[in-house]
Amino acid sequence: EIDKSELFEQYLSIAAELQNVSLNSLSRTEKTVFFANIYQSMYVHSLIEELVDPPPGFIAKLLTLVKKPSFNFYYQIAGQRFSLWEIKHGILRGNKKPPGYLTKLLVKGDHRIQHMAKPEPKILFVTPDYPDLPEELEVFKDMKSFESDLKRICENYVNRAICFDDSNGELAIPKLFQTYKEDFGKTDQAIVKWIWKNHTSSEYTVDEILKGLRKKNILIRYS
């Protein structure tokens, strides 16, 4: 059982030390890399906690349907409390409102705002939402290769997940792009343009896809 393993105990000890780290000397890029790594570790940790300690009974099972570890699972980092939700939306997305929210998570006067990253949509491919399982974990070690690493992850995802069926004119796009439409350009056309900048395996050009959308010969299906 992973929660009883020596390796997991070592991880918990290391995670507990995060409350003593200082982020003041880190550059904006270094903070982004730091929180991207922390998010992935926290996310897997939260899933482990959910699996090994499920609440018993019907009512409790019902509660698990609405319980979001992203909200209530947190680490103490540099003397401040960070939930998964706050790291993803408050820090890594540049304090953009979470989907369905009317307000931002970090308000004026919140000292955690100083760690806010420059918004980069590619970060969404390494910060899954509960209860999705991460397709792979990417530990970012080299600041110099961070952007190229993100680009590679993004291209791999897009090449694998985007599917255009020219026989029925259907363009299948992962739900992630619809959920975070604001990050990718807000409109279907803008999303397609963003995708095709990273879609290196498509036999169709972005102009061909956009022309099909305008003429309604192509329909987008978010799934």
Side-chain angles (χ1 to χ4, degrees):
E1 297 181 3
I2 190 170
D3 63 309
K4 294 181 175 62
S5 70
E6 182 178 345
L7 190 61
F8 187 63
E9 289 296 325
Q10 291 175 358
Y11 170 78
L12 294 179
S13 296
I14 294 172
E17 291 300 316
L18 288 170
Q19 61 186 320
N20 300 319
V21 303
S22 174
L23 304 178
N24 295 332
S25 63
L26 299 184
S27 67
R28 198 174 192 183
T29 299
E30 288 172 332
K31 288 180 181 179
T32 301
V33 172
F34 173 81
F35 278 106
N37 285 333
I38 290 296
Y39 183 92
Q40 293 182 89
S41 300
M42 280 181 68
Y43 188 79
V44 173
H45 184 184
S46 73
L47 293 179
I48 291 172
E49 295 289 345
E50 285 289 295
L51 290 172
V52 300
D53 190 26
F58 173 77
I59 297 299
K61 286 182 180 179
L62 187 62
L63 287 175
T64 62
L65 296 177
V66 296
K67 181 183 179 184
K68 300 270 189 175
S70 303
F71 291 104
N72 53 32
F73 193 85
Y74 67 90
Y75 279 4
Q76 287 288 140
I77 303 173
Q80 296 175 309
R81 175 171 166 164
F82 290 86
S83 70
L84 280 167
W85 209 237
E86 289 162 339
I87 290 176
K88 177 167 185 172
H89 303 291
I91 304 299
L92 293 175
R93 290 184 64 230
N95 204 26
K96 290 186 178 181
K97 293 180 287 188
Y101 268 55
L102 298 178
T103 59
K104 299 177 180 179
L105 294 181
L106 306 184
V107 299
K108 185 178 180 180
D110 192 319
H111 294 297
R112 294 172 298 178
I113 288 179
Q114 65 183 307
H115 307 309
M116 188 173 64
K118 179 181 178 180
E120 168 53 73
K122 294 186 185 74
I123 205 71
L124 293 168
F125 302 111
V126 294
T127 53
D129 286 322
Y130 181 79
D132 295 338
L133 294 174
E135 296 190 22
E136 59 180 281
L137 295 177
E138 183 78 26
V139 178
F140 300 105
K141 298 178 181 179
D142 188 349
M143 303 299 159
K144 294 180 180 178
S145 66
F146 176 61
E147 290 187 7
S148 61
D149 288 340
L150 266 188
K151 180 176 176 59
R152 169 180 51 79
I153 293 167
C154 173
E155 288 179 352
N156 289 342
Y157 178 91
V158 167
N159 288 334
R160 182 177 62 254
I162 301 298
C163 180
F164 175 53
D165 185 348
D166 58 358
S167 65
N168 61 12
E170 182 177 88
L171 177 61
I173 297 178
K175 192 83 171 175
L176 177 146
F177 288 94
Q178 185 181 42
T179 301
Y180 292 99
K181 181 174 283 190
E182 179 183 345
D183 299 59
F184 294 106
K186 298 184 180 180
T187 67
D188 289 339
Q189 290 74 16
I191 290 173
V192 167
K193 287 180 181 179
W194 193 96
I195 288 173
W196 249 258
K197 287 180 181 178
N198 300 279
H199 197 355
T200 58
S201 66
S202 176
E203 30 183 294
Y204 299 92
T205 68
V206 64
D207 290 334
E208 289 173 325
I209 299 297
L210 292 173
K211 182 178 179 180
L213 289 174
R214 286 194 300 269
K215 293 188 173 183
K216 301 191 184 304
N217 295 325
I218 297 176
L219 297 178
I220 291 177
R221 176 174 60 85
Y222 291 102
S223 58

